[in-house]
Each structure stands twice: as C-alpha cells, then as structure tokens.
Amino acid sequence: MALHTWLIFLTAVFGLALTPGPNGLLALSHGALYGHRKTLFTVSGGVLGFTLLMALSMLGIGTLLQASAQALTILKWLGGAYLIWLGIQLWRAPPLHLAMAEKADARSSLKLFRQGLLSALSNPKVILFFGAFLPQFLDPRGDLWLQFAIMALTFAVVEGSVEYLLARMAHRVRPWLQRSGKGFNRCCGGLFALMGAALPMTR
C-alpha cells in the first residue's frame, strides 16, 4: 500500500471512528457508568468484533477480485454510491439522545467484553460498509492480503483509541453531543458523501 493511499485511509478511518455508532455510544455510556479503565474491556470486545467482520469482508472481496479483473472498478463505484447513501441518512438523522442511568450495577470485565463484542457482531450493516469502504483503497497490482492486514491494523488502533477517549471524556462529551448532535451528524454525513463521490475516481 502506497504511503499517500494509507494516509487517505487513515484520515477516512478517523472520520468513521468519530461517526456516532452503537459501539462508540456503548463506550461512552460505559465510561460514564463504570469508569474508563473498566471500559477498556468493552472497547477490546468491540474492536475484536469489527476486526472479525472486516476479515469476512476482505475474504469476500479477495474471492471476487480473483474471479474478475474488472471487479475492483465495479466495487469502487457501487461502494461510492453506498457511502453517499449513508451520508444522506446520517445527515437526516435526529440528534443523539444519551440519557444515562443514575445508578448502574457493577459488571464483570467478561460481561463488558462480551457486550462490546456482540454490539459489533450484531450489526450486519458493518459488513456492507466494509465491503463498500475497503475496495476504495486497494491496489490490485499489490499484495491484497498485506494491504488488508495494514488496513485492519490501522482500523483497530484508531477505533480502539477513539472509543477509549470517548470513555475517558464521557462526562464532558455527552452534553456537547446532546447540544450539537444535529450539526455533528451533518458534518459526519457530509464527510461520508464526499468520500463516496471522490474515492471511486482515485487511482
């Protein structure tokens, strides 16, 4: 993977990690309820779940590319259209509502890990998203599995770091998201739409 391609991918992954989603909100709520250290188990479970889903998407993409030399171009345009659609949906989404319980029961580290893992695995849209997102950064002339490994590692580090920061800053971030939720959604939605329009045209 070329350095400039990786840097674009890194920027896009940061935008993806900052976009409101079930695991980010779970890390936010667990950070407020149980503290950032214990929430590390929630974050670890979520990152593992996302990595497994990414591996499934990569396997399907790799199989398709082996079957057709033109498959990557088709995937890029279909993926770009899907990203634009996601951007429109996020733009129109209502503000986040992040009400927390006053008291929470103490949960074991294993339960928190399992909750993060299941939150990631139970979202089938993630596989569709990775199927649309990852081909935008592939070079068919290079080693596909090495590129996949670099992308998976980059995503895991960024996603885990952002979720942990959300857990650490839960009490500060929550009120801001509730006040500025609509504008935040539109910013993230615009980012997805721009990626969907621009990335298929890159080579």
Side-chain angles (χ1 to χ4, degrees):
M1 176 178 279
L3 178 60
H4 72 278
T5 302
W6 179 80
L7 289 174
I8 296 172
F9 178 77
L10 179 64
T11 303
V13 166
F14 265 112
L16 171 61
L18 290 171
T19 301
N23 280 78
L25 298 181
L26 188 64
L28 192 65
S29 61
H30 281 188
L33 294 171
Y34 310 115
H36 63 89
R37 291 182 181 175
K38 205 160 187 180
T39 305
L40 272 173
F41 292 97
T42 308
V43 173
S44 299
V47 168
L48 176 60
F50 283 133
T51 303
L52 292 174
L53 292 179
M54 185 180 282
L56 284 176
S57 294
M58 291 174 175
L59 184 62
I61 293 169
T63 302
L64 186 60
L65 293 183
Q66 288 177 352
S68 171
Q70 302 300 319
L72 183 59
T73 301
I74 297 171
L75 282 175
K76 281 193 171 189
W77 285 101
L78 290 177
Y82 181 67
L83 292 177
I84 292 172
W85 181 83
L86 284 179
I88 294 171
Q89 297 303 306
L90 189 53
W91 181 281
R92 299 170 61 186
L96 295 169
H97 180 66
L98 301 173
M100 299 293 182
E102 292 295 326
K103 293 183 180 179
D105 59 327
R107 296 195 180 186
S108 70
S109 301
L110 180 60
K111 285 183 179 178
L112 294 178
F113 178 86
R114 186 167 62 240
Q115 193 168 355
L117 177 65
L118 293 177
S119 178
L121 292 178
S122 63
N123 188 355
K125 292 181 181 179
V126 174
I127 295 181
L128 291 176
F129 179 83
F130 283 141
F133 184 66
L134 299 178
Q136 313 295 335
F137 302 94
L138 288 175
D139 179 0
R141 296 165 297 182
D143 186 328
L144 291 179
W145 294 108
L146 178 60
Q147 293 177 73
F148 285 156
I150 292 171
M151 287 192 287
L153 179 60
T154 301
F155 178 85
V157 170
V158 171
E159 179 69 21
S161 299
V162 168
E163 287 188 18
Y164 180 65
L165 284 175
L166 285 174
R168 283 194 68 105
M169 301 173 63
H171 291 289
R172 296 181 181 179
V173 172
R174 260 186 63 237
W176 179 83
L177 279 178
Q178 289 180 230
R179 288 194 311 269
S180 310
K182 188 65 176 178
F184 185 69
N185 284 352
R186 288 182 173 179
C187 180
C188 293
L191 176 64
F192 274 111
L194 285 173
M195 283 194 301
L199 288 175
M201 294 182 285
T202 62
R203 293 291 183 268

